[in-house]
Amino acid sequence: MGKTWPNNYYILEEWFLGAIIIVYILYPIIVKLLNKKEKLTTLIIVVLYLLTLNYKMLNQDSFRNIFSFIFSFYIGMLLTKNKEIYDVKEIYITSIILLILSSILPISVDTNIKNHLDGFLLYLTLYGIGNKMMKYNSVKAPINIISKVSYEIFLLQHVIVYTMLKLANPASTIRSLSILFFTIIRIISE
């Protein structure tokens, strides 16, 4: 019997790759809307994201729904556009504290919301750490070397992640971050 295709817009085997292609096709439109009507665009994207939490839109669960993916991508665009807001020491420290609390305390919210919140806090934390560490040449030089092979790392990372998850499937944010750390080391050593 032949392979049956998924009954949704991710015709590719890997939903993440399908989402990336869709978002990159939409990127010029999203940028234009962000620059001309930031508040309205933000409102529309947030509403579409919230709808994915309550309805199975486009025959896709909320985490893998394209509107959830666009929301993540758009938040990244907003963060990049408004760096001066979170380039403040208090925001950096608060994000570290909230990330630790989010990792330790059981929070009963939708997994999709928790993943976005943890991703947002992790970004702010790593951005703050990165800003501090990139001031040192001993850190900056290896990062510049690694950045030249970032596309290759991207291509390899799924294979490494799947292999690492076979060894230990994380049940908490701390375990997830530990696996992320060892995954990064494994990718760099390839």
Side-chain angles (χ1 to χ4, degrees):
M1 190 117 190
K3 180 169 176 70
T4 55
W5 291 101
N7 189 18
N8 58 45
Y9 50 89
Y10 292 123
I11 298 176
L12 304 169
E13 278 292 313
E14 171 63 36
W15 72 267
F16 187 71
L17 187 56
I20 288 173
I21 291 168
I22 291 169
V23 167
Y24 275 104
I25 290 169
L26 295 175
Y27 177 75
I29 297 166
I30 296 171
V31 168
K32 197 173 278 190
L33 292 171
L34 171 65
N35 290 332
K36 291 192 183 217
K37 303 266 186 190
E38 183 175 328
K39 289 179 183 173
L40 179 62
T41 304
T42 303
L43 177 67
I44 290 169
I45 289 176
V46 168
V47 167
L48 286 170
Y49 169 68
L50 292 174
L51 287 172
T52 67
L53 299 175
N54 296 311
Y55 303 101
K56 196 170 181 179
M57 297 171 63
L58 303 172
N59 198 27
Q60 195 72 36
D61 65 90
S62 69
F63 178 71
R64 289 177 177 84
N65 193 291
I66 191 64
F67 296 121
S68 178
F69 198 87
I70 289 171
F71 175 76
S72 299
F73 192 79
Y74 186 75
I75 293 297
M77 292 170 68
L78 282 175
L79 287 171
T80 301
K81 182 178 180 189
N82 300 297
K83 273 188 198 175
E84 69 281 350
I85 294 171
Y86 61 91
D87 213 2
V88 177
K89 184 179 179 181
E90 291 77 18
I91 301 256
Y92 166 64
I93 291 169
T94 303
S95 67
I96 292 172
I97 292 168
L98 289 175
L99 183 62
I100 291 168
L101 289 175
S102 173
S103 301
I104 296 170
L105 300 175
I107 300 172
S108 59
V109 296
D110 183 280
T111 305
N112 193 334
I113 293 172
K114 174 109 170 58
N115 289 343
H116 276 97
L117 178 62
D118 287 347
F120 174 69
L121 293 171
L122 186 60
Y123 171 81
L124 292 176
T125 300
L126 293 176
Y127 178 84
I129 292 169
N131 264 352
K132 305 262 183 271
M133 293 180 70
M134 290 301 280
K135 293 177 182 173
Y136 302 101
N137 281 334
S138 59
V139 173
K140 194 174 186 175
I143 295 294
N144 285 336
I145 292 168
I146 292 170
S147 68
K148 292 176 185 172
V149 293
S150 62
Y151 183 69
E152 291 81 358
I153 290 171
F154 167 75
L155 293 174
L156 183 62
Q157 60 107 6
H158 275 98
V159 175
I160 301 294
V161 168
Y162 287 135
T163 304
M164 295 298 287
L165 287 175
K166 284 180 185 176
L167 299 174
N169 200 347
S172 69
T173 305
I174 290 175
R175 285 189 68 195
S176 295
L177 292 174
S178 299
I179 288 175
L180 173 64
F181 173 74
F182 288 113
T183 301
I184 290 169
I185 296 212
R186 180 76 178 120
I187 289 170
I188 291 171
S189 68
E190 281 293 315

